[in-house]
Amino acid sequence: MLNVLFVDDEENILRAIRRCLKHLDGEWRMHFANGGQEALDFLEHANCDVIVCDMIMPHMGGEEVLSHVKERYPQMARIVLSGQCNQATAFRLVGSDHLYLAKPCPSNLLIDTIKNACFIGKKAELEDVSTQELKDVLVGLSKALLMHGVLNLSELPNEVKMFLPASTLQAYAPIIDKPKGLHTQRASPATFASWSKEVEERDKSPNTPYSWEDYFNTS
């Protein structure tokens, strides 16, 4: 779930944001701070993915808030949402590594910007993903595409096939049916799971003869 902190000294702005984004309650965990110091106090005991901050606030302005966030929580994406300075001024104050939106901002633009900012904020984490983790994601995605009939096994690149387990390759290998020619059997998720389990058991006993008819109905 995405954690987003909105910071503004105007309560009516925070209420408007809360109202516009209410439909995302199940996808986002949204927090609201009425001023810069309140935001920093909140971040002392909470983790957030994105901070959306006004620039011109009393006592502690957005520039100071975002500078603290950049220093203490460099992985957190930072967005300037302000109606009192233009983009050039925002960049001069807080740097071009922040995203900028002007008030009033359409809710769909705010949502898209927050999602994009979250991705930017996590780029460093993505760079640390291991080869094995990427391989696991690739295998899981490929199996899902095959399972739901989005792709045939023959349509997957060989570079992807080499990572798939034997049970998947065997379950989705093309079969020869003389009247119809070469085709690939579509399988339901439950059937695929059953095939995979049976083939894995066979893999443990290499002397057991293999039969295509165990996995496909060719009649």
Side-chain angles (χ1 to χ4, degrees), residues 143-189:
K143 290 171 75 172
L145 293 174
L146 290 169
M147 186 185 304
H148 294 286
V150 178
L151 288 177
N152 293 327
L153 185 62
S154 60
E155 294 173 316
L156 287 176
N158 290 331
E159 293 82 359
V160 175
K161 292 178 189 175
M162 65 183 291
F163 295 126
L164 295 177
S167 56
T168 302
L169 294 173
Q170 291 173 346
Y172 279 94
I175 57 176
I176 300 296
D177 183 8
K178 290 182 180 178
K180 299 179 182 178
L182 186 67
H183 68 281
T184 301
Q185 179 76 25
R186 303 296 189 190
S188 68

Side-chain angles (χ1 to χ4, degrees), residues 91-150:
F91 282 179
R92 178 177 57 81
L93 290 173
V94 298
S96 59
D97 57 342
H98 297 67
L99 298 176
Y100 171 81
L101 290 173
K103 295 178 183 176
C105 175
S107 59
N108 60 333
L109 178 59
L110 177 60
I111 292 169
D112 289 343
T113 302
I114 289 172
K115 289 179 178 178
N116 291 335
C118 184
F119 174 76
I120 293 171
K122 291 185 179 294
K123 279 200 304 184
E125 295 179 22
L126 292 174
E127 290 171 358
D128 292 335
V129 173
S130 69
T131 301
Q132 184 58 49
E133 288 173 312
L134 290 174
K135 197 181 298 182
D136 292 342
V137 170
L138 183 61
V139 168
L141 176 61
S142 300
K143 290 171 75 172
L145 293 174
L146 290 169
M147 186 185 304
H148 294 286
V150 178

Side-chain angles (χ1 to χ4, degrees), residues 3-5 7 40 43 48-55 62-81 90-91 94-101 110 113-114 116-122:
N3 281 280
V4 187
L5 173 61
V7 187
L40 295 182
L43 290 173
C48 285
D49 302 298
V50 183
I51 180 170
V52 183
C53 187
D54 187 22
M55 283 300 297
E63 179 183 4
E64 185 176 355
V65 173
L66 294 175
S67 294
H68 277 288
V69 168
K70 182 178 180 179
E71 180 181 348
R72 299 179 188 177
Y73 318 102
Q75 79 286 355
M76 192 184 307
R78 302 173 294 278
I79 299 174
V80 173
L81 178 61
F91 282 179
V94 298
S96 59
D97 57 342
H98 297 67
L99 298 176
Y100 171 81
L101 290 173
L110 177 60
T113 302
I114 289 172
N116 291 335
C118 184
F119 174 76
I120 293 171
K122 291 185 179 294

